[in-house]
Amino acid sequence: SSPRRHQAVPCYDEYDDDNDLSNPSTVFRCCDTDNSLGLDCHELRFAFNAFGLFPTMDYIEEWMEDQPCVDEAAFRSLLERKLRSAPSWMRGPRAIPYARRGV
């Protein structure tokens, strides 16, 4: 038998709000590159970048509280808290998630 190939479905195109990158749900789906319904530390970093937050991996790992990934509800809650409290050095222009960049 041949190995099964994983095909990413960027941003789950069936959603109506698919183009709204100010919507945390859209950004979550765009950054969930393996369609696992959870963001690992690398995916989470890109999701934060989409909202103009640029934490180091140490911060992200601390924020994840030793969990391997965060689900959408946890991402929304964490994003809301960090948008209010992140220091100025952690902020910058919003970055477009890779799933939305032209190739």
Side-chain angles (χ1 to χ4, degrees):
S1 81
S2 64
R4 193 168 163 224
R5 292 187 132 184
H6 174 75
Q7 289 186 312
V9 181
C11 301
Y12 308 117
D13 290 329
E14 67 270 14
Y15 290 88
D16 292 334
D17 65 351
D18 197 35
N19 293 316
D20 184 5
L21 293 178
S22 64
N23 182 328
S25 294
T26 300
V27 171
F28 180 91
R29 290 189 303 269
C30 286
C31 292
D32 181 17
T33 58
D34 59 0
N35 298 326
S36 65
L37 303 179
L39 301 180
D40 66 22
C41 62
H42 303 287
E43 294 168 328
L44 185 59
R45 187 175 193 178
F46 287 116
F48 278 124
N49 294 170
F51 287 94
L53 297 177
F54 295 85
T56 64
M57 287 305 288
D58 288 339
Y59 275 98
I60 290 178
E61 289 170 1
E62 179 183 320
W63 295 348
M64 292 180 72
E65 300 175 341
D66 296 321
Q67 298 299 312
C69 65
V70 296
D71 64 17
E72 186 175 343
F75 168 65
R76 285 175 156 279
S77 174
L78 188 57
L79 177 64
E80 184 178 313
R81 290 193 321 267
K82 298 309 173 186
L83 283 172
R84 283 195 311 262
S85 66
S88 60
W89 66 262
M90 196 180 285
R91 298 176 184 271
R94 294 177 65 161
I96 297 172
Y98 281 110
R100 284 314 189 93
R101 296 180 186 181
V103 183

